[in-house]
Amino acid sequence: MKKNLLPIEAVAAKLNLTDDLYERRTPVSAKLSLELLKQSPRGDRRGKLILVTATSPTASGEGKTVTSIGLVQGLEKIGRTAIITSREPSLGPVFGMKGGAAGGGSSQIEPAEKINLHFHGDFHAITSAHSLLSALIDSHLFHGNELDLDPDAVTWPRAVDMNDRALRNIVVSVTAPDKRQRDGSNRAASFLITAASEIMAILSLASGRDDLRRRIARIVIGQNRKGEPVTAADLRATGPMLALLSEAILPNLAQTTEGTPAMVHCGPFANIAHGTSSVISHEIGLRLADYVVNETGFASDLGFEKYMDLVMPTSGIKPSVAVLVTTVQSLRNQGEGDLERGFAHLEKHIAIVRGFHLPVVVAINRFPNDTFAELETLHQFCEDHGASFALSEAFAKGGEGAVDLANKIVEVIDANPDVEPTTTYAPGDSAIDKITKVARSVYGADGIELSEGARQNLARFERWGFGHLPVCIAKTQYSLSDDPKRMGAPTGWTLHVTDVALSAGAGFLVVIAGSMMLMPGLPKVSRALDIDVDEDGEIIGMS
């Protein structure tokens, strides 16, 4: 553990938190009380929400988390009360290809190693609640199937917080000890990674414990043999699942490398889920600070779009500005080796943000190998397109390296006091219209095409009364299209919808586009091989 971290009491003092509003878990971290949803140490003052998004990343990422952390440190350096709301990392990327997700260099959320591994047990609680529901389903089938569940129509998978391709397709056996076949014996099933669990989405969207209870109760786990939906409430699973999540719903208070307050809570992926930290942490943050920096997952076509079309209508929390992180290497990659050819990709992401009637500031995350000429070319492009921009050197210089960005953000917010963000589609639009509008307005597609299976599933969900729900489109993060190898700002293509799933508890339809894996696999050489523990018990090799 880092020796220069502030005691958590000192971090809490920056937010005027009294002892009864947080519970110390380690010397440098705590859980926040939900009483903060009812009262505010700063009265009725509400802060400004800053959404951080990016252009499409390379496999190693473009430093969006580092930039977000640097920004909140930069805001504190210019005398503003600020807090970052960040997602909790999944063990999948930590041990997979991408590595830890707590930032890096001089801009990390600390204690980084603990945050990357089992932080306060939240992911374990979510996995356990998900697994309990899985176990109750098979137990119900084994003990007589009173609800007449159709074993072939059970849609609730299992979950584990690790990349493990061997678990993508499994067979569940519920054979009795005397070898008699039970309802559901040897049925096909699957695992998904915990970040893709509906429980993760539910926890991050819930406004409090009562809302969490309602959402868990309405989870649809499959259908009976009459074709009617069966819910978690039908299995009497709501109470025990809520018990497992009772502590996990509390946001975690931590700090950045420079002692700036940080909330770390929930961790849905943005390519296969909605990709942002919890609504509760956003709401509490806006009651505690002048500015709340919230990172949305991957690029503006993914986490950002889902915040605007899913999270904002659900929570009522409207952002004041968006930060669009980009890098020379990202744009060169999108230009297939040519930086200036990649500018069309940046232009499209700027247009996506502006399409929601939100001001945008381009944050150019500087890498050591970036040349002066490359950065100047990028600066000139932003000027020519009327986009506010600032260079960020948060990795190397911490908050000091993000002061220009912080000043630019404050300037843009002050110049746009009456922002009224919009959504891509109206609540009353049909599901097909919602998917089509996102595909055309955000991704740049000509239209959509649904597989026969996707059409059948959608028709069933509409028959059950869920056709009005917003859509959460699961697609690749590496391209604006549904093809990870299609670079730039492609046009003249069709979004291929291969499946539609129902997340009734979370409150959206999951629309799967292209080839999407809900359970990733480890690469040939994984980051796990670099992680160890030194002789003092300190975890090494994670950043």
Side-chain angles (χ1 to χ4, degrees), residues 66-67 69-71 73-75 77 106-107 258 363-366 390-406:
V66 166
T67 303
I69 298 166
L71 172 58
Q73 293 179 154
L75 286 165
K77 279 194 175 294
S106 297
S107 294
E258 297 177 0
I364 304 168
N365 182 28
R366 184 173 189 174
L391 190 69
S392 175
E393 298 180 274
F395 183 91
K397 300 178 182 179
E400 193 61 43
V403 163
D404 288 347
L405 178 60

mmCIF file of all heavy atoms in Angstrom, residues 66-67 69-71 73-75 77 106-107 258 363-366 390-406:
data_model
loop_
_atom_site.group_PDB
_atom_site.id
_atom_site.type_symbol
_atom_site.label_atom_id
_atom_site.label_comp_id
_atom_site.label_asym_id
_atom_site.label_seq_id
_atom_site.Cartn_x
_atom_site.Cartn_y
_atom_site.Cartn_z
ATOM 1 N N VAL A 66 -6.983 7.622 -16.953
ATOM 2 C CA VAL A 66 -5.910 8.516 -16.504
ATOM 3 C C VAL A 66 -6.315 9.976 -16.688
ATOM 4 O O VAL A 66 -6.117 10.818 -15.797
ATOM 5 C CB VAL A 66 -4.598 8.224 -17.262
ATOM 6 C CG1 VAL A 66 -3.587 9.344 -17.053
ATOM 7 C CG2 VAL A 66 -4.006 6.897 -16.807
ATOM 8 N N THR A 67 -6.904 10.283 -17.833
ATOM 9 C CA THR A 67 -7.328 11.662 -18.100
ATOM 10 C C THR A 67 -8.424 12.094 -17.145
ATOM 11 O O THR A 67 -8.426 13.236 -16.649
ATOM 12 C CB THR A 67 -7.800 11.792 -19.561
ATOM 13 O OG1 THR A 67 -6.755 11.380 -20.441
ATOM 14 C CG2 THR A 67 -8.180 13.236 -19.882
ATOM 15 N N ILE A 69 -8.964 10.988 -14.085
ATOM 16 C CA ILE A 69 -8.368 11.189 -12.760
ATOM 17 C C ILE A 69 -7.531 12.459 -12.745
ATOM 18 O O ILE A 69 -7.590 13.258 -11.794
ATOM 19 C CB ILE A 69 -7.524 9.964 -12.364
ATOM 20 C CG1 ILE A 69 -8.416 8.721 -12.274
ATOM 21 C CG2 ILE A 69 -6.813 10.194 -11.034
ATOM 22 C CD1 ILE A 69 -7.660 7.411 -12.212
ATOM 23 N N GLY A 70 -6.755 12.670 -13.806
ATOM 24 C CA GLY A 70 -5.975 13.903 -13.890
ATOM 25 C C GLY A 70 -6.856 15.131 -13.878
ATOM 26 O O GLY A 70 -6.529 16.151 -13.251
ATOM 27 N N LEU A 71 -8.011 15.051 -14.566
ATOM 28 C CA LEU A 71 -8.935 16.189 -14.621
ATOM 29 C C LEU A 71 -9.458 16.545 -13.241
ATOM 30 O O LEU A 71 -9.497 17.721 -12.865
ATOM 31 C CB LEU A 71 -10.087 15.876 -15.569
ATOM 32 C CG LEU A 71 -11.235 16.887 -15.593
ATOM 33 C CD1 LEU A 71 -10.739 18.277 -15.964
ATOM 34 C CD2 LEU A 71 -12.335 16.423 -16.565
ATOM 35 N N GLN A 73 -8.085 15.952 -10.427
ATOM 36 C CA GLN A 73 -6.961 16.525 -9.674
ATOM 37 C C GLN A 73 -6.678 17.952 -10.142
ATOM 38 O O GLN A 73 -6.381 18.838 -9.338
ATOM 39 C CB GLN A 73 -5.718 15.649 -9.848
ATOM 40 C CG GLN A 73 -5.860 14.284 -9.206
ATOM 41 C CD GLN A 73 -4.653 13.380 -9.384
ATOM 42 O OE1 GLN A 73 -4.411 12.501 -8.580
ATOM 43 N NE2 GLN A 73 -3.884 13.580 -10.448
ATOM 44 N N GLY A 74 -6.795 18.178 -11.457
ATOM 45 C CA GLY A 74 -6.594 19.523 -11.989
ATOM 46 C C GLY A 74 -7.649 20.493 -11.500
ATOM 47 O O GLY A 74 -7.350 21.658 -11.192
ATOM 48 N N LEU A 75 -8.894 20.047 -11.402
ATOM 49 C CA LEU A 75 -9.965 20.905 -10.881
ATOM 50 C C LEU A 75 -9.676 21.304 -9.435
ATOM 51 O O LEU A 75 -9.912 22.451 -9.033
ATOM 52 C CB LEU A 75 -11.310 20.186 -10.980
ATOM 53 C CG LEU A 75 -11.905 20.085 -12.386
ATOM 54 C CD1 LEU A 75 -13.028 19.062 -12.427
ATOM 55 C CD2 LEU A 75 -12.407 21.456 -12.860
ATOM 56 N N LYS A 77 -6.743 21.539 -8.132
ATOM 57 C CA LYS A 77 -5.600 22.448 -8.150
ATOM 58 C C LYS A 77 -5.993 23.889 -8.472
ATOM 59 O O LYS A 77 -5.324 24.829 -8.040
ATOM 60 C CB LYS A 77 -4.541 21.964 -9.149
ATOM 61 C CG LYS A 77 -3.650 20.855 -8.598
ATOM 62 C CD LYS A 77 -2.431 20.643 -9.471
ATOM 63 C CE LYS A 77 -1.507 19.613 -8.839
ATOM 64 N NZ LYS A 77 -0.933 20.089 -7.565
ATOM 65 N N SER A 106 1.008 9.251 -12.482
ATOM 66 C CA SER A 106 0.693 10.224 -11.430
ATOM 67 C C SER A 106 -0.803 10.484 -11.300
ATOM 68 O O SER A 106 -1.211 11.395 -10.585
ATOM 69 C CB SER A 106 1.424 11.547 -11.708
ATOM 70 O OG SER A 106 2.820 11.359 -11.680
ATOM 71 N N SER A 107 -1.588 9.700 -11.995
ATOM 72 C CA SER A 107 -3.051 9.849 -11.934
ATOM 73 C C SER A 107 -3.692 8.479 -11.764
ATOM 74 O O SER A 107 -4.111 7.830 -12.721
ATOM 75 C CB SER A 107 -3.580 10.538 -13.199
ATOM 76 O OG SER A 107 -3.124 11.874 -13.282
ATOM 77 N N GLU A 258 -3.211 12.206 -5.624
ATOM 78 C CA GLU A 258 -2.972 13.490 -4.967
ATOM 79 C C GLU A 258 -3.970 13.763 -3.846
ATOM 80 O O GLU A 258 -4.069 14.885 -3.352
ATOM 81 C CB GLU A 258 -3.013 14.613 -6.010
ATOM 82 C CG GLU A 258 -1.900 14.463 -7.059
ATOM 83 C CD GLU A 258 -1.961 15.518 -8.149
ATOM 84 O OE1 GLU A 258 -2.867 16.391 -8.107
ATOM 85 O OE2 GLU A 258 -1.109 15.474 -9.053
ATOM 86 N N ALA A 363 -9.878 16.388 -25.255
ATOM 87 C CA ALA A 363 -8.687 16.259 -24.414
ATOM 88 C C ALA A 363 -7.670 15.399 -25.163
ATOM 89 O O ALA A 363 -7.929 14.208 -25.407
ATOM 90 C CB ALA A 363 -9.034 15.626 -23.068
ATOM 91 N N ILE A 364 -6.570 15.980 -25.534
ATOM 92 C CA ILE A 364 -5.532 15.254 -26.272
ATOM 93 C C ILE A 364 -4.568 14.664 -25.256
ATOM 94 O O ILE A 364 -3.775 15.377 -24.634
ATOM 95 C CB ILE A 364 -4.798 16.189 -27.247
ATOM 96 C CG1 ILE A 364 -5.801 16.848 -28.203
ATOM 97 C CG2 ILE A 364 -3.727 15.421 -28.017
ATOM 98 C CD1 ILE A 364 -5.222 18.001 -29.019
ATOM 99 N N ASN A 365 -4.673 13.371 -25.044
ATOM 100 C CA ASN A 365 -3.842 12.686 -24.059
ATOM 101 C C ASN A 365 -2.469 12.430 -24.668
ATOM 102 O O ASN A 365 -2.326 11.622 -25.586
ATOM 103 C CB ASN A 365 -4.501 11.369 -23.636
ATOM 104 C CG ASN A 365 -3.696 10.646 -22.583
ATOM 105 O OD1 ASN A 365 -2.982 11.262 -21.803
ATOM 106 N ND2 ASN A 365 -3.811 9.326 -22.551
ATOM 107 N N ARG A 366 -1.483 13.109 -24.150
ATOM 108 C CA ARG A 366 -0.142 13.055 -24.754
ATOM 109 C C ARG A 366 0.603 11.793 -24.320
ATOM 110 O O ARG A 366 0.681 11.471 -23.145
ATOM 111 C CB ARG A 366 0.666 14.290 -24.359
ATOM 112 C CG ARG A 366 2.030 14.339 -25.021
ATOM 113 C CD ARG A 366 2.744 15.642 -24.750
ATOM 114 N NE ARG A 366 3.946 15.765 -25.556
ATOM 115 C CZ ARG A 366 4.710 16.863 -25.617
ATOM 116 N NH1 ARG A 366 4.356 17.930 -24.902
ATOM 117 N NH2 ARG A 366 5.773 16.890 -26.374
ATOM 118 N N ALA A 390 -7.757 20.855 -25.208
ATOM 119 C CA ALA A 390 -6.630 21.097 -24.304
ATOM 120 C C ALA A 390 -5.754 19.856 -24.299
ATOM 121 O O ALA A 390 -6.234 18.732 -24.474
ATOM 122 C CB ALA A 390 -7.119 21.411 -22.887
ATOM 123 N N LEU A 391 -4.474 20.072 -24.102
ATOM 124 C CA LEU A 391 -3.527 18.967 -23.978
ATOM 125 C C LEU A 391 -3.553 18.454 -22.547
ATOM 126 O O LEU A 391 -3.617 19.226 -21.595
ATOM 127 C CB LEU A 391 -2.119 19.457 -24.328
ATOM 128 C CG LEU A 391 -1.027 18.386 -24.479
ATOM 129 C CD1 LEU A 391 -1.279 17.532 -25.716
ATOM 130 C CD2 LEU A 391 0.345 19.066 -24.575
ATOM 131 N N SER A 392 -3.526 17.142 -22.393
ATOM 132 C CA SER A 392 -3.483 16.545 -21.064
ATOM 133 C C SER A 392 -2.208 15.721 -20.922
ATOM 134 O O SER A 392 -1.898 14.881 -21.764
ATOM 135 C CB SER A 392 -4.707 15.648 -20.836
ATOM 136 O OG SER A 392 -4.597 14.977 -19.591
ATOM 137 N N GLU A 393 -1.479 15.980 -19.843
ATOM 138 C CA GLU A 393 -0.279 15.204 -19.517
ATOM 139 C C GLU A 393 -0.418 14.651 -18.098
ATOM 140 O O GLU A 393 0.500 14.704 -17.293
ATOM 141 C CB GLU A 393 0.966 16.078 -19.650
ATOM 142 C CG GLU A 393 1.193 16.592 -21.063
ATOM 143 C CD GLU A 393 2.446 17.455 -21.187
ATOM 144 O OE1 GLU A 393 2.338 18.669 -20.933
ATOM 145 O OE2 GLU A 393 3.512 16.904 -21.518
ATOM 146 N N ALA A 394 -1.611 14.104 -17.838
ATOM 147 C CA ALA A 394 -1.948 13.667 -16.485
ATOM 148 C C ALA A 394 -1.132 12.461 -16.040
ATOM 149 O O ALA A 394 -0.846 12.304 -14.854
ATOM 150 C CB ALA A 394 -3.435 13.348 -16.405
ATOM 151 N N PHE A 395 -0.757 11.597 -16.960
ATOM 152 C CA PHE A 395 0.014 10.410 -16.580
ATOM 153 C C PHE A 395 1.362 10.818 -15.999
ATOM 154 O O PHE A 395 1.773 10.331 -14.944
ATOM 155 C CB PHE A 395 0.225 9.494 -17.789
ATOM 156 C CG PHE A 395 0.944 8.207 -17.460
ATOM 157 C CD1 PHE A 395 0.228 7.077 -17.114
ATOM 158 C CD2 PHE A 395 2.329 8.122 -17.490
ATOM 159 C CE1 PHE A 395 0.873 5.882 -16.805
ATOM 160 C CE2 PHE A 395 2.988 6.944 -17.183
ATOM 161 C CZ PHE A 395 2.258 5.825 -16.834
ATOM 162 N N ALA A 396 2.036 11.732 -16.658
ATOM 163 C CA ALA A 396 3.378 12.121 -16.231
ATOM 164 C C ALA A 396 3.364 13.176 -15.129
ATOM 165 O O ALA A 396 4.209 13.155 -14.235
ATOM 166 C CB ALA A 396 4.170 12.645 -17.435
ATOM 167 N N LYS A 397 2.369 14.087 -15.162
ATOM 168 C CA LYS A 397 2.409 15.250 -14.284
ATOM 169 C C LYS A 397 1.242 15.335 -13.304
ATOM 170 O O LYS A 397 1.161 16.291 -12.523
ATOM 171 C CB LYS A 397 2.457 16.529 -15.128
ATOM 172 C CG LYS A 397 3.665 16.619 -16.053
ATOM 173 C CD LYS A 397 3.632 17.888 -16.886
ATOM 174 C CE LYS A 397 4.817 17.963 -17.840
ATOM 175 N NZ LYS A 397 4.772 19.197 -18.678
ATOM 176 N N GLY A 398 0.338 14.370 -13.323
ATOM 177 C CA GLY A 398 -0.783 14.413 -12.393
ATOM 178 C C GLY A 398 -1.696 15.588 -12.652
ATOM 179 O O GLY A 398 -1.925 16.008 -13.791
ATOM 180 N N GLY A 399 -2.224 16.172 -11.579
ATOM 181 C CA GLY A 399 -3.153 17.287 -11.697
ATOM 182 C C GLY A 399 -2.556 18.485 -12.409
ATOM 183 O O GLY A 399 -3.244 19.187 -13.145
ATOM 184 N N GLU A 400 -1.272 18.730 -12.197
ATOM 185 C CA GLU A 400 -0.604 19.852 -12.854
ATOM 186 C C GLU A 400 -0.650 19.699 -14.363
ATOM 187 O O GLU A 400 -0.773 20.682 -15.106
ATOM 188 C CB GLU A 400 0.845 19.951 -12.378
ATOM 189 C CG GLU A 400 1.540 21.247 -12.752
ATOM 190 C CD GLU A 400 0.865 22.478 -12.163
ATOM 191 O OE1 GLU A 400 0.485 22.440 -10.980
ATOM 192 O OE2 GLU A 400 0.703 23.481 -12.900
ATOM 193 N N GLY A 401 -0.577 18.456 -14.831
ATOM 194 C CA GLY A 401 -0.633 18.202 -16.264
ATOM 195 C C GLY A 401 -2.022 18.301 -16.853
ATOM 196 O O GLY A 401 -2.187 18.185 -18.070
ATOM 197 N N ALA A 402 -3.028 18.500 -16.008
ATOM 198 C CA ALA A 402 -4.410 18.618 -16.473
ATOM 199 C C ALA A 402 -5.036 19.956 -16.107
ATOM 200 O O ALA A 402 -6.253 20.131 -16.258
ATOM 201 C CB ALA A 402 -5.258 17.482 -15.899
ATOM 202 N N VAL A 403 -4.242 20.900 -15.640
ATOM 203 C CA VAL A 403 -4.762 22.220 -15.255
ATOM 204 C C VAL A 403 -5.370 22.934 -16.453
ATOM 205 O O VAL A 403 -6.446 23.543 -16.353
ATOM 206 C CB VAL A 403 -3.657 23.065 -14.591
ATOM 207 C CG1 VAL A 403 -4.044 24.546 -14.566
ATOM 208 C CG2 VAL A 403 -3.397 22.579 -13.175
ATOM 209 N N ASP A 404 -4.700 22.877 -17.602
ATOM 210 C CA ASP A 404 -5.249 23.526 -18.797
ATOM 211 C C ASP A 404 -6.601 22.926 -19.160
ATOM 212 O O ASP A 404 -7.538 23.646 -19.528
ATOM 213 C CB ASP A 404 -4.277 23.389 -19.973
ATOM 214 C CG ASP A 404 -3.045 24.265 -19.822
ATOM 215 O OD1 ASP A 404 -3.054 25.151 -18.948
ATOM 216 O OD2 ASP A 404 -2.079 24.057 -20.583
ATOM 217 N N LEU A 405 -6.695 21.611 -19.064
ATOM 218 C CA LEU A 405 -7.961 20.945 -19.353
ATOM 219 C C LEU A 405 -9.031 21.355 -18.345
ATOM 220 O O LEU A 405 -10.177 21.638 -18.710
ATOM 221 C CB LEU A 405 -7.766 19.429 -19.336
ATOM 222 C CG LEU A 405 -9.016 18.567 -19.568
ATOM 223 C CD1 LEU A 405 -9.648 18.859 -20.916
ATOM 224 C CD2 LEU A 405 -8.668 17.073 -19.452
ATOM 225 N N ALA A 406 -8.667 21.414 -17.077
ATOM 226 C CA ALA A 406 -9.619 21.813 -16.034
ATOM 227 C C ALA A 406 -10.127 23.232 -16.268
ATOM 228 O O ALA A 406 -11.340 23.500 -16.167
ATOM 229 C CB ALA A 406 -8.965 21.701 -14.658
#
